[in-house]
Amino acid sequence: MTSPAHPERERIARYEPTEIEPRWQARWDEHGMHRTDLDDPSRPKYYLLTMYPYPSGDLHIGHWYVNTPTDARARFLRMNGYNVFFPIGFDAFGLPAENAAIKKGIHPSEWTLKNIENMRRQLRSMGATFDWDAEVVTCTPEYYRWNQWIFLRLLEAGLAYRKMAAVDWCPKCVVVLAREQVEGVDRVCWRCSTPVVKRDLEQWFFRTTHYADELLDHSGLDWPEPVRVMQTNWIGRSEGAEVVFRTAAEPHHAGGEELRVFTTRPDTLYGATFMVLAPEHPLVPALTAPDRRAEVEAYVAATRRASEIDRLSTDREKSGVALGAHAINPVNGERIPIWIADYVLATYGTGAIMAVPAHDERDFAFAVRFGLPIRRVISGPGVADDAPLTEAWIAKSAEDRLVASGPYTGLPSPEGFRRIVADLAARGDGAASVTYRLRDWLVSRQRAWGTPIPVVYCEAQPSCGIVPVPDDQLPVRLPDDFRYRPEGGNPLETTESFLRTTCPGCGGAGRRETDTMDTFVDSSWYWWRYLTPHKTDGPIDTALESRWCSVDQYTGGAEHAVMHLLYSRFFCKALADLGVVREREPFRRLFNQGQILGADGERMSKSRGNVQDPDELVSRYGADTVRLFLMFMGPWDQGGPWSPTGIDGVHRFLRRVWTILLDPHGREAGDAGGPESEDPAAAGLALRRAAHRTLAAVSQDHEGFRWNTIVAKLMELTNLLMRHRGTPVAGTPAWDEATGLLLVMLAPLAPHIAEELWSRRLAEAGTPWRSIHTEPWPAADPALLVADEIDLPVQVNGKLRDVVRIAPGTPEAEVEAAALASAKIRANLEGMTVVKVIHVGGRLVNIVARPAG
């Protein structure tokens, strides 16, 4: 049925998002609606941050998946009275820019800044409420000057240092990789998937291990459990003892050097029958007997090509080579042979182990493979002291005891542990110790597009050594004239205008450090710089930092758990100790959204050809539709392969909202709706109840980032309104209340259409315009949340037989009468006598009956 024509319908325009959205974006910008007054004390502050993007050229749909729900959160919080700071910037240094520059024959800054300009346009098109006045671009001297300043403070504090190290090297990218940037069992570069090799270089490190124990403490942080577990495992704290073995005198070697081992089981020292060094251990060349040298060197070379994962695998057959040298066990003076084997890593513990094959699976396999002695020194309840071993005896219970262990024989293992460590310490042969899997952060990168490390190597006076660049000479600027060489490598090494300088110490000739900093340095403190991006007398405004930090909510991918997120925590603790900042944790609350993959299930990338361009979708459907569709895809923390299936349905939903608000009295052929004779008062009450219940549920879902269920609830409310469109309730105060609540709830998610419809509503009422995004978030009316009727299960002798509808709070006598009046219940009670009726708190009725007679 079609309603009679209404004059106002002639003024109803079609929903045209491509006209509406740019107009409102311009007006919001004109009114400065998203600029944050950081000095405003009248409202509670809320620092909302999402991980800033790398300017790769174009945003893909995955960027929208990260940013638009976070923007909805920002809008919701503003409507709830918070002074929200929601900044944006660009993580602008990095290898992709260098690769593009090499390919195009341009400076990486040209490629980067052009991409940033395009991405600014794209980010604005999504209607996000970023405070652009706070923008940071990390490749600008204005930003990286303070990377250098922080580096110098860490250097002064002994938290930055330089040493020779075997590093992971990508031969394609021609760059050192941090351990976290080497991926997979094949040990490939995280950027280009090229197999990584080992190389010895002088490198700069940050002393992250200084904060290992504090980094293990996540108390007070509302972070996802998987991230906390990943960080805990990455740090890898182990308690035990450091034990000093000494090399024995040999025909080729005088002996006497200390070989320190870390063990978590000092109670098994009497079972050590050989010692194993990492092939990279510095004493290997000196300890190797002349007749073993060729085999040892070949084994060392082969090991350097293997991955740590392969080396540690328990499935592969053990390999190793004897050095022809021995060590002295400090507890019994026994000479035991020294081997090298790839299952011992130079980067863990001391790079040397005491091998106790009776009580360690890897040592057992190695001993069996090479015919080495296996000596039981731990036994358990009911097990003979000399019981033969077919596999390693690992700790079975707290009642395990030491056997064949000299004066410690018979002691419980925990007591043996303590006594042996105490006796070693008294003799200077060991001490209780803690070790970590965590390594110091290697920050040197042999590439040009990064922050120059601010030190000079004096060539005039050897006594000057490595000289820090004075603060008043910062920033050390990247040159505009470096050129990439066809053979690869770091062009800063051959750019004389950069390389040659004067020594700040003596004024003589000097050479700049040509390594640049890992780009994770940029992202380890950027949230502080957002507060004052143009500050010239320091990196951080301490007053604003004290007021606004820690960040209240951080959003981003879980893949950053052991790089960016761990490094940021290290920076926070180190700079707090240096008095630069106050807090010791950067992000109070963390939410990891899922990842949108290509339609092929792989990570989106141009090289794979699986990137979805959001500009194409915006031009066809509008930003609001794209925003809603991404939020409606599923739980935000899951992500999944991209598919446009369903986006048309979301667009139809917005058109229905448009129609409901602008044409409430119309009814088109085929519209489903309530009967026109429906009582307007009852229909109005039903609409109000539905709107307020939706409001209560949506408000709760916002706190859990449950965007998909928010959209679903708004669709349900819209469908209900659509059924009442063109009925007597349309246009009533109840209708206006319900549609007004619909718009307010829609505003954070689909801001443009909500603003447009809100402005039209205000204009029709003759009310001056005020943005819907400055409206207070309404509170649901508790009286309307109470159900007018509930479904009450009715059992007979404990079995469900019917469900009756009653009003909440109905007296038990009336509930009982309603239950017994049910036809199904009467049928089940035929031939039965009711013994009693049990009422379970208004949630259930159970009728107890027995056969009559």
Side-chain angles (χ1 to χ4, degrees):
M1 172 179 173
T2 303
S3 66
H6 292 273
E8 64 268 21
R9 294 187 64 189
E10 299 176 4
R11 301 195 305 272
I12 297 171
R14 293 182 57 188
Y15 173 44
E16 298 286 355
T18 55
E19 183 276 325
I20 292 168
E21 292 173 354
R23 172 161 48 83
W24 281 114
Q25 289 165 14
R27 189 160 187 184
W28 294 332
D29 190 56
E30 175 188 347
H31 286 264
M33 287 183 55
H34 311 319
R35 297 188 186 100
T36 303
D37 181 358
L38 298 176
D39 296 313
D40 178 8
S42 65
R43 293 173 292 161
K45 71 91 181 175
Y46 199 97
Y47 194 158
L48 177 63
L49 184 65
T50 193
M51 295 180 185
Y52 60 1
Y54 181 81
S56 56
D58 295 294
L59 295 180
H60 58 64
I61 203 67
H63 293 99
W64 277 62
Y65 188 70
V66 172
N67 286 294
T68 53
T70 311
D71 174 65
R73 177 69 176 166
R75 292 177 178 276
F76 172 76
L77 288 166
R78 290 191 187 96
M79 296 174 80
N80 277 274
Y82 287 93
N83 187 23
V84 177
F85 184 43
F86 185 38
I88 189 65
F90 294 94
D91 188 11
F93 275 136
L95 199 56
E98 286 199 297
N99 291 339
I102 293 168
K103 182 177 180 180
K104 297 176 182 293
I106 59 175
H107 195 281
S109 65
E110 180 181 339
W111 182 85
T112 301
L113 296 177
K114 180 180 178 181
N115 289 346
I116 287 174
E117 191 56 39
N118 182 53
M119 291 177 73
R120 285 185 183 125
R121 174 192 62 79
Q122 291 183 301
L123 287 166
R124 291 178 186 276
S125 75
M126 65 176 62
T129 58
F130 296 123
D131 186 343
W132 287 98
D133 290 349
E135 181 192 65
V136 298
V137 178
T138 62
C139 69
T140 61
E142 182 181 40
Y143 187 88
Y144 69 70
R145 167 189 181 181
W146 301 109
N147 283 350
Q148 295 171 343
W149 185 92
I150 292 170
F151 178 96
L152 293 174
R153 302 293 82 78
L154 296 176
L155 184 63
E156 291 167 357
L159 295 172
Y161 65 94
R162 189 172 186 253
K163 72 170 184 178
M164 181 69 74
V167 297
D168 290 314
W169 175 266
C170 175
K172 181 176 180 181
C173 300
V174 196
V175 65
V176 171
L177 301 176
R179 183 161 60 115
E180 298 89 338
Q181 296 168 326
V182 179
E183 295 185 335
V185 295
D186 297 325
R187 283 177 46 81
V188 298
C189 173
W190 74 312
R191 290 284 192 187
C192 67
S193 298
T194 299
V196 170
V197 298
K198 290 289 186 182
R199 185 171 175 179
D200 292 322
L201 290 174
E202 288 277 2
Q203 300 290 298
W204 286 97
F205 292 82
F206 286 160
R207 207 177 298 276
T208 49
T209 53
H210 183 74
Y211 293 95
D213 281 323
E214 192 175 352
L215 289 168
L216 284 168
D217 182 6
H218 294 90
S219 58
L221 299 182
D222 184 4
W223 283 29
E225 180 65 17
V227 172
R228 297 199 300 270
V229 170
M230 281 190 282
Q231 290 197 353
T232 299
N233 292 341
W234 190 258
I235 295 165
R237 188 179 194 272
S238 297
E239 295 184 4
E242 188 173 76
V243 181
V244 181
F245 287 69
R246 288 178 175 82
T247 60
E250 310 284 356
H252 66 279
H253 184 72
E257 292 99 343
E258 289 187 351
L259 281 173
R260 292 180 175 267
V261 304
F262 173 81
T263 176
T264 60
R265 294 297 306 271
D267 52 326
T268 65
L269 259 165
Y270 280 83
T273 59
F274 59 100
M275 174 171 274
V276 184
L277 306 184
E280 305 92 342
H281 195 287
L283 282 180
V284 167
L287 293 175
T288 302
D291 62 336
R292 309 295 301 151
R293 191 165 304 281
E295 187 178 0
V296 168
E297 289 178 351
Y299 187 84
V300 170
T303 299
R304 290 171 69 88
R305 292 193 296 270
S307 72
E308 286 189 8
I309 293 176
D310 281 342
R311 290 173 63 175
L312 294 174
S313 172
T314 57
D315 297 329
R316 62 195 295 263
E317 186 177 48
K318 293 294 178 284
S319 64
V321 177
L323 297 182
H326 294 77
I328 305 299
N329 189 328
V331 295
N332 58 12
E334 182 181 4
R335 283 170 57 98
I336 59 176
I338 303 174
W339 288 64
I340 58 171
D342 59 6
Y343 73 89
V344 179
L345 303 178
T347 54
Y348 183 77
T350 64
I353 68 164
M354 62 176 209
V356 184
H359 305 292
D360 181 273
E361 291 176 351
R362 294 179 307 168
D363 296 347
F364 186 91
F366 192 91
V368 170
R369 169 82 169 79
F370 292 103
L372 296 166
I374 300 173
R375 183 185 306 145
R376 176 194 283 273
V377 292
I378 302 289
S379 194
V383 178
D385 292 356
D386 58 352
L389 292 168
T390 58
E391 60 182 4
W393 173 279
I394 311 301
K396 304 293 184 181
S397 74
E399 299 178 19
D400 287 352
R401 66 187 186 282
L402 274 64
V403 300
S405 296
Y408 309 100
T409 297
L411 291 176
S413 284
E415 178 63 18
F417 182 117
R418 290 189 291 271
R419 289 270 299 274
I420 289 174
V421 171
D423 290 347
L424 287 170
R427 299 197 303 266
D429 288 333
S433 181
V434 175
T435 193
Y436 303 88
R437 183 176 180 267
L438 179 69
R439 305 269 65 84
D440 284 339
W441 176 9
L442 193 161
V443 297
S444 287
R445 296 295 179 269
Q446 288 66 47
R447 58 179 179 237
W449 191 234
T451 298
I453 293 177
V455 299
V456 172
Y457 301 96
C458 182
E459 297 179 332
Q461 297 288 341
S463 60
C464 288
I466 300 174
V467 185
V469 174
D471 289 356
D472 61 8
Q473 294 181 25
L474 300 179
V476 176
R477 291 177 176 265
L478 285 172
D480 296 327
D481 59 347
F482 67 73
R483 293 289 181 268
Y484 292 99
R485 296 167 290 170
E487 64 272 22
N490 181 357
L492 296 182
E493 296 175 354
T494 56
T495 303
E496 293 294 316
S497 63
F498 175 82
L499 193 62
R500 300 303 168 192
T501 187
T502 57
C503 171
C506 68
R511 174 178 55 85
R512 292 197 187 280
E513 171 64 81
T514 55
D515 285 0
T516 56
M517 296 184 205
D518 183 1
T519 55
F520 280 108
V521 172
D522 306 341
S523 59
S524 293
W525 69 282
Y526 73 114
W527 62 94
W528 289 313
R529 190 63 180 174
Y530 276 141
L531 297 169
T532 47
H534 307 298
K535 183 177 172 63
T536 59
D537 60 350
I540 301 163
D541 185 307
T542 55
L544 289 177
E545 177 267 330
S546 180
R547 184 180 309 144
W548 281 89
C549 295
S550 302
V551 170
D552 294 286
Q553 177 69 64
Y554 198 28
T555 63
E559 67 272 17
H560 296 290
V562 296
M563 288 191 285
H564 162 58
L565 291 171
L566 195 62
Y567 296 155
S568 296
R569 295 183 66 215
F570 159 71
F571 255 57
C572 199
K573 298 173 192 309
L575 294 185
D577 284 344
L578 296 175
V580 179
V581 298
R582 173 189 53 84
E583 78 276 11
R584 301 191 71 84
E585 289 289 352
F587 318 118
R588 289 197 187 105
R589 188 182 186 206
L590 173 69
F591 187 93
N592 295 134
Q593 85 286 331
Q595 188 177 74
I596 292 293
L597 305 173
D600 56 1
E602 299 290 337
R603 185 172 180 173
M604 281 192 181
S605 71
K606 292 179 181 178
S607 62
R608 293 191 180 99
N610 63 355
V611 171
Q612 172 61 57
D613 179 8
D615 287 358
E616 172 191 336
L617 297 172
V618 172
S619 65
R620 181 176 178 185
Y621 296 103
D624 283 342
T625 294
V626 179
R627 289 170 62 112
L628 279 180
F629 177 63
L630 289 170
M631 295 185 212
F632 192 48
M633 285 178 63
W636 195 35
D637 60 351
Q638 293 184 14
W642 165 255
S643 170
T645 303
I647 194 169
D648 288 296
V650 172
H651 191 61
R652 285 195 298 273
F653 159 62
L654 289 181
R655 290 204 306 267
R656 286 160 72 86
V657 173
W658 182 270
T659 300
I660 288 167
L661 268 293
L662 297 184
D663 187 17
H665 300 290
R667 287 188 58 83
E668 308 299 334
D671 272 1
E676 293 190 359
S677 59
E678 183 179 4
D679 176 35
L685 179 59
L687 285 181
R688 294 186 67 224
R689 286 186 184 277
H692 280 264
R693 289 171 186 166
T694 302
L695 174 60
V698 164
S699 300
Q700 189 174 30
D701 284 348
H702 266 284
E703 297 304 322
F705 299 101
R706 292 184 290 271
W707 311 112
N708 58 321
T709 59
I710 291 175
V711 177
K713 291 176 174 72
L714 296 180
M715 287 179 170
E716 290 175 8
L717 179 59
T718 300
N719 289 340
L720 180 63
L721 287 163
M722 201 70 179
R723 287 197 296 272
H724 286 84
R725 176 175 172 249
T727 68
V729 75
T732 64
W735 173 274
D736 291 344
E737 181 183 359
T739 54
L741 288 175
L742 173 64
L743 280 186
V744 169
M745 288 186 283
L746 185 63
L749 284 69
H752 307 89
I753 188 173
E755 189 77 277
E756 177 71 16
L757 293 172
W758 182 261
S759 70
R760 292 188 182 210
R761 170 175 280 207
L762 293 178
E764 288 183 6
T767 304
W769 176 76
R770 63 181 186 276
S771 174
I772 192 172
H773 301 292
T774 62
E775 288 294 301
W777 188 263
D781 185 342
L784 295 173
L785 303 182
V786 178
D788 49 355
E789 286 188 323
I790 60 171
D791 291 327
L792 183 72
V794 181
Q795 296 178 341
V796 175
N797 291 332
K799 293 183 178 181
L800 180 66
R801 296 305 185 189
D802 198 8
V803 175
V804 297
R805 294 188 63 80
I806 62 170
T810 300
E812 288 187 357
E814 295 181 23
V815 171
E816 187 173 322
L820 293 172
S822 161
K824 291 182 179 179
I825 298 301
R826 288 200 307 271
N828 275 276
L829 291 176
E830 189 173 342
M832 308 281 284
T833 299
V834 175
V835 176
K836 61 179 175 179
V837 177
I838 301 171
H839 298 263
V840 185
R843 301 189 305 274
L844 175 75
V845 168
N846 182 30
I847 301 172
V848 180
R850 66 185 179 201

